[in-house]
Structure formats: C-alpha cells, structure tokens
Amino acid sequence: MNTVLPVKTRGKGRQSSLNQLRQNGAIPGVVYGYQMESTAVSLDARQFAKMLAQFGNKNVFQLDVDGKRVNAVLTEVQRCALKGNVKHVDFKSINMSEELEVDIPVTVQGKAIGVADGGFLLQPNREVRIKVNPSEIPETIEVDVTDVAIGTSLYVGDIREKFSFEILQEDDYTLVTITPPAAENVQEDTVDGTPEVIGGTGKNPSDSEE
C-alpha cells in the first residue's frame, strides 16, 4: 500500500483524555514491534476509516509516526458495542523481508454440485492462518467448491498445494461442507393401520371417555 497514514505520538493519559481524543475526531492507539518500542499514538478517525474501507484490515499500513516511516499490520481494532465506531487500534511494526503470520478470510467460488442437488453449504471456518511475505498478503483466499457433493467436505488439505504461501492449519481443517436437505415429515401408520398422533394425548381417537 503506497498511501501513508499519519499518526502522532501521545502521552499515556487517563480514560478522560482518551475520550477527549475521540470527541475531537481522533482514535487512540499503540504501535509496537520490529525496531519500535511500544508507543502510544493517535490518528485521524475519518482518514483511518477511509483507508480501512479501501485496503481492508489485512494489508500492510505505512505509518508516518511523527516523521518516522513504519511498516505495520493491524493486530486489534476495538469498536463501540453500540455505535460500531472504532475506539482503539493496535499496530505491529514488521520487517518487510521476513514472513509473518496473518489470518485471511476464505471466499467461496462456484456453485457446489451438492447445492444444485438440494443440499446446504456451510462454512464452519471462514478464515485460515497463513505464513507469507508482507508484500504478498492476499485480501482473501478463494476456494472452488464446484465438485463438493452432498455429505462431503472441502478441507485445507484439498487446497494447500494451490497456493505459494504456507497454510498453518492441519489438512483436516474443514472449510466447506454440504449437508443433505431436511427430511420431509412423513406420517407413519401404526401396526393396526391407525395414524400415530405425534405430540398429542397418546389416545386413539376412537377410544371412548370413561
């Protein structure tokens, strides 16, 4: 990412000072990691939101920390539970020549044959952790589910060799599974041919009251 995100160092203040930052349109945060002592910072909320929407939260951010250029990745974004606005961010500075571990979302491509046959597609795990060069971090990992039939699944072991980066989960880590359609309710007859009443009193309609 070529766009630079300016951040300012700040003193570690009380909760009241953090609230004041937010009221003034800034987000408190911290930068730590490679060749960087843990540093409290603040950044413009609108500019951060714009860059997050444009580049996503899995890419490398180039921070301008009071004139010092730092390559960093987002490790945590805290949001307000009610409004959803960003309350605090953590950046980890990185060495661009060393691989790093990052969680990447999995995107399904194609229409599974099992879905065409009436089954339901489930994604029990929507992210995988990969080890990759910072300059080659993908926005998403696309998996083709065309050949996944009812009662079968797609695992990490099925896609591992299709990518140049290392996927850290085991081969049996499930990405997609196709479940069969729900069984129809079928009214079963009893031995004497009288329909069984499910969830009723358990009496045969022909039984007389005493």
Side-chain angles (χ1 to χ4, degrees):
M1 182 177 66
N2 296 324
T3 305
V4 178
L5 179 62
V7 300
K8 299 179 180 179
T9 56
R10 60 177 176 86
K12 294 182 179 180
R14 299 179 178 179
Q15 186 63 40
S16 58
S17 63
L18 298 182
N19 290 336
Q20 185 65 43
L21 273 174
R22 297 182 184 110
Q23 291 173 6
N24 293 333
I27 302 171
V30 64
V31 183
Y32 65 95
Y34 176 71
Q35 295 184 343
M36 188 82 183
E37 294 183 1
S38 182
T39 304
V41 298
S42 65
L43 55 152
D44 183 84
R46 289 185 178 181
Q47 188 172 13
F48 176 71
K50 181 179 179 180
M51 294 183 69
L52 202 62
Q54 185 175 358
F55 300 106
N57 61 355
K58 302 299 182 182
N59 288 291
V60 177
F61 288 79
Q62 190 174 48
L63 307 180
D64 184 338
V65 186
D66 288 345
K68 178 182 178 180
R69 294 294 174 90
V70 177
N71 294 304
V73 291
L74 270 172
T75 56
E76 185 176 7
V77 178
Q78 298 178 19
R79 294 182 179 273
C80 174
L82 295 178
K83 299 181 179 179
N85 54 298
V86 178
K87 295 181 60 179
H88 191 277
V89 293
D90 288 4
F91 288 98
K92 181 180 179 180
S93 61
I94 60 172
N95 183 349
M96 292 295 290
S97 64
E98 293 183 359
E99 292 184 326
L100 74 157
E101 297 181 8
V102 60
D103 294 322
I104 301 296
V106 175
T107 302
V108 170
Q109 296 292 319
K111 183 175 182 179
I113 187 173
V115 172
D117 290 338
F120 297 96
L121 186 147
L122 302 177
Q123 281 185 265
N125 297 294
R126 295 180 177 269
E127 288 188 335
V128 294
R129 176 163 285 253
I130 68 174
K131 191 172 184 180
V132 64
N133 187 285
S135 62
E136 299 174 354
I137 299 175
E139 292 185 9
T140 184
I141 294 177
E142 297 182 351
V143 296
D144 185 359
V145 299
T146 305
D147 296 330
V148 186
I150 291 177
T152 64
S153 300
L154 185 72
Y155 303 97
V156 161
D158 299 319
I159 68 167
R160 188 183 300 280
E161 301 303 321
K162 297 180 181 180
F163 302 97
S164 59
F165 47 76
E166 179 184 0
I167 300 178
L168 299 180
Q169 274 86 2
E170 299 294 332
D171 282 351
D172 61 355
Y173 188 77
T174 307
L175 302 175
V176 171
T177 188
I178 306 294
T179 62
E184 296 181 0
N185 294 326
V186 179
Q187 187 181 51
E188 296 182 357
D189 288 347
T190 58
V191 175
D192 62 0
T194 304
E196 182 181 4
V197 179
I198 305 299
T201 62
K203 294 182 179 181
N204 190 304
S206 62
D207 290 343
S208 59
E209 297 287 344
E210 294 182 358

